[in-house]
Amino acid sequence: MADLSLDFCGIRSPNPFWLASGPPTNSGDQVARAFEAGWGGAVWKTIGEPIVNVSSRYGGLDLGTARMAGFNNVELITDRPMEVNFREITEVKKRFPDRAVIASLMVESKRAAWHDVVARSQDAGADGIELNFGCPHGMSERGMGAAVGQVPEYCGRITGWAKERAKIPVIVKLTPNVTDIVRPARAAAAAGADALSLINTVNSLIGVDLDTLAPLPTVRGQGSHGGYCGPAVKPIALHMVSTVCGDREIRVPVSAIGGIATWRDAAEFIALGAASLQVCTAVMHHGFRIVEDMIDGLSAYLDEKGLTLASLRGKAAKNVRRWEELDLNYRVVAAIDHRRCIGCQLCYVACNDGAHQAIGLRPWAELGIEGPAPASMTGAGVPVIIEDACVGCNLCSLVCPVPGCIRMEDRSGTADRKSFLDYQAAGETPRAAGQRQRKTGEG
Amino acid sequence: MAQSTTAAAPALHPVPGWRAGPFAELAGPVEGAELVGEVNRCLYCHDAPCTRACPTGIDVPAFIRKLATGNRRGAARVILEANILGASCARVCPTEVLCEGACVHLLDQGRPIPIGRLQRTATDWALARGCLPFGPGKATGRRVAVVGAGPAGLACAAELARLGESVTMYDARERPGGLSTHGMAEYKMTADLALREVEWVTGLGVELKLGQRIGEEPAWGTLLAAHDALFLAVGLPRAVALGVPGETLPGVRQALDFIEELKLDPARAKRAAGRRVVVVGGGNTAVDAATQAKRLGAERVTVVYRRGLGEMPAFRYEIDLLRGDGCELRLETMPVRIEGRRRVERIVCQRAELGGPGPDGRRVPRAVPGTDLAIEADLVIAALGQRLDEGALAGIPGLAFANGRVVVDAATRRTGNPKVWAGGDCVNGGAEAVHAVADGREAARSIHAALSEA
């Protein structure tokens, strides 16, 4: 088993899997059960002046049989008194001294209020604090949460207030509801943040009930925008985490949040530079038990690849480039394994209607495959790639329902790289080699 | 794709439309979590093999996608526009050799989409609403007669009505629906459902005249003179006899009569139920008769078939049903006589020896003398198939027959008489309801095109 233990800006935990601030970390009892299940740390449900929540609060986006591929909420920070939360932090920390307990905090934008809540967190025994500058609903209208995270200047100022009092590491949690994530991230880092965490939830309206015409989730016939999370936001989080990790001015570790549900998700974030991982929606869906496979799977992956947690970190970052640096000499084409093809023709219709008209149909008998055509491929044509027309877009391989049936094969013919920047440097205009010239323009 | 959140959640138990007891339906519609799973497992194939395998060409991926989006009305419309008897076909089609037998998921998952049951889910919407999701076409002022109110006739009449033709449908029986009403095993489909589909067709403005033996009264000539075109869907009314001594003894019955009695007069059927039953034949009707006899309480049901298992015309699925019901199957066995004093007491069979191929290409069985096997029986059911009544059609000029079938042009279903089209069992020699529906619909389109040109 690979060693998964972590020192995250001085916060130690036996593995990088932390519960993100949210409903799963609402109480000491929950956090204790999570630690029993194996979670390495927990960021407490945001502590502040207790609020009153609405009912109902959550909405799900289903995709086929996949429930909650996306998820949103209009729930606010904790509705329990501050002293109860701090007392439970002390109790949990006493029972699980090796786990990371981080107090997520959000109070009104006054220096004294922040000083007070930071002091109480460290007095309670928290290993670190996370400043919630991300909540996009309810709190932001009161000048907190995303209202802070969206203004780099506020972000830096309040980080500074927290650092004035903090003896434990301060993590700043960022909102993705900005044009350029780097600006608030730099402001927080410049103000002394020990680490950053991102992303908080994305502004969203998850649906409309077509019978009542009320937004979802519905509060007596009405609804409000809420925070979007779950597997659907992972690509947004990957991009923002990779951008922050790759920024030269930001030299603090990043705790990644956003759609992490499996060890694979975790490994991707680590490879892009994240140091720890935070999980919320997946636990709301399937419970604390999911951490077992996250630990098991990540360890096995690291062992198999001969990597450590530290050596995997950022290993993919160097491969994330700007478009103009990509190699224009590289060319792949699709290849269909007709022994696996089931004849659904999804690749055919996708390529012809939605891409580049590079898949045709031919009778089974002309493919030279031994044996009779399967029932689903008698009478109809079998999809075949027209290599001259194939631009290597991947679409067919993405729609194909059979694993391994459509692969993309290298037809570059040269190992020499030549990017758009290379062309520019040589004073040349790029020309597509070996590809059919298109008559109509496309984006 | 998620199902609409607005769709009313059906109760899990009991499954709507299911009945308890030995004649409970074999399969119900797909609902609830299974529906969400199956409609999303469907790949929405392009040029889908299931659609190509359907004789009526129902756009299966289209109706399943509509179920997935919660558009049940649209799903029902897609099915019923292609196949007016879509609700019956959802129940009685041999889907394992048609749509489901072509499903791509047989290749990658070994388990097809349950298209038949999904079709039932969709058509149940229309049954629950009690109306079709479309109406008749703009009247052309022309008149077409449809003779026979079974699946072919109903499909032709419905399509003609949708094309604006004025249709009168005749049937010799007092009850419409043909084999849909009278000949489907009860656990597959009730007579009530068949009659509701007839109501859909009459709801399109089709006039129905029952108890009409065309050729006797009115004469064919009269009918032809009164209409612009005529569609023959008379089926195969004559049962093939056993052709062995003793077959006129009480207790020897024809399979279709037996099934019809159970469907239309179940109390009488139960009183007349046999204790020891022998069914002669190897087709799907033989299976229906045997399983129905067993479910009526027979102690022992034996199916006697003169050829081998691989030559049985019954579908594999039907033979599994037969075995599942505990019926005995005696292959390469043929009856030679039926014995009994006042009524049937036993059927005497002999081992059948299979010789060279006959005119239909199948091996010809011959009884082997000295291999007598007596099977005690108080009910013998003959299920040897049905024949055309050519004599009843003699009054139609220009009609030709071959191999006991009405001859038609394959594409148009038009007969040698330019005013007469034909389809269904009287043309194909006896096939599934879905084939009859396809014939009827195509004939209607051909009739409409021919009359529109004239």
Side-chain angles (χ1 to χ4, degrees), chain B residues 16 61 137 162 187 198 209-210 253 256 265 277 295 304 312:
Chain B
R162 293 188 63 211
Y187 55 72
V198 174
K209 291 191 171 177
L210 298 169
R253 311 193 61 183
L256 284 179
D265 193 353
V277 181
R295 286 162 194 240
V304 170
M312 278 182 79

Side-chain angles (χ1 to χ4, degrees), chain B residues 8 10-11 21 62 81 91 96 109 135 148 201 267 275 286 318 320 324 326-327 344 362 374 376 410 438 451:
Chain B
E81 278 180 351
R91 291 159 170 83
E96 49 290 319
Q109 299 179 355
V201 177
R275 214 157 50 78
E318 299 280 346
D320 290 344
C327 301
V344 60
R362 300 197 301 163
E376 298 299 311
L451 297 183

